Amino acid sequence: MITLRPLLRAAALSALTLASLAVQAQVSVKEPWVRATVAQQKATGAFMQISSTEPVRLVEAKSTAARIVEIHEMRMEGDRMMMKAIDALDIVPGRTLELKPGSYHIMLIDVLKPVNAGDKLPLTLVIEGRDGKRSAVEVSAEARAMNAARPAAAEHRHAH
């Protein structure tokens, strides 16, 4: 006697796996980079542009290059620039979420070794769909000179 219950369970598991892969496939990351550090500096920022075809949220970031990794917001309060950790950032379909200096960014705190220009740092972005399911997007971010505001590729497109 063949029962359908194990087949249905296997089909459901396959559908869940495909659904979680679909969330990851909808997210695009462009121009990821981090600022190089100077001697004794223990923190740096990571920047990039993130887009998605579905409404999702960036809820966490991780890296083996730092002991603490947080999503941060930087903004002006009166005449003072303030920075603080935030829980998540919405990624709206049709819009690019830009993580950039002086704004939203990923903060790497207590970096394990100096970050030199040209180094590649691994980052994992944790994305959450409307259904609450999470997926990971792996990113390799190249370190740029301390005074870099944008990746070199973007600077060539800028015209005055």
Side-chain angles (χ1 to χ4, degrees):
M1 179 174 179
I2 298 176
T3 63
L4 291 178
R5 189 167 284 155
L7 293 174
L8 291 174
R9 203 173 292 148
L13 182 58
S14 293
L16 287 174
T17 301
L18 289 173
S20 66
L21 290 174
V23 170
Q24 183 175 356
Q26 296 165 359
V27 176
S28 170
V29 178
K30 293 181 182 172
E31 298 181 22
W33 66 285
V34 296
R35 275 207 176 122
T37 59
V38 295
Q40 314 306 308
Q41 183 180 346
K42 297 303 270 176
T44 191
F47 314 97
M48 64 201 73
Q49 293 105 39
I50 308 170
S51 57
S52 176
T53 57
E54 297 293 325
V56 295
R57 302 182 85 204
L58 173 62
V59 295
E60 185 179 1
K62 305 174 190 179
S63 178
T64 56
R67 288 189 174 88
I68 301 167
V69 182
E70 299 175 339
I71 303 166
H72 271 217
E73 171 187 33
M74 190 174 251
R75 64 172 200 244
M76 293 299 293
E77 285 187 8
D79 61 348
R80 293 178 37 199
M81 182 68 82
M82 304 296 290
M83 182 171 58
K84 68 175 184 170
I86 57 175
D87 293 330
L89 282 170
D90 291 326
I91 303 168
V92 178
R95 292 189 188 161
T96 298
L97 171 63
E98 186 169 6
L99 305 184
K100 61 184 179 180
S103 185
Y104 296 115
H105 59 279
I106 305 293
M107 195 74 197
L108 293 100
I109 303 166
D110 201 6
V111 292
L112 301 177
K113 64 179 190 170
V115 178
N116 298 306
D119 288 352
K120 300 272 189 179
L121 271 64
L123 295 170
T124 302
L125 306 178
V126 180
I127 305 295
E128 184 178 89
R130 277 192 288 187
D131 58 4
K133 292 185 177 144
R134 293 183 174 194
S135 64
V137 176
E138 301 298 329
V139 175
S140 177
E142 184 175 347
R144 306 278 182 201
M146 184 68 173
N147 60 356
R150 299 203 32 99
E155 291 172 351
H156 295 298
R157 290 191 298 254
H158 182 74
H160 292 277

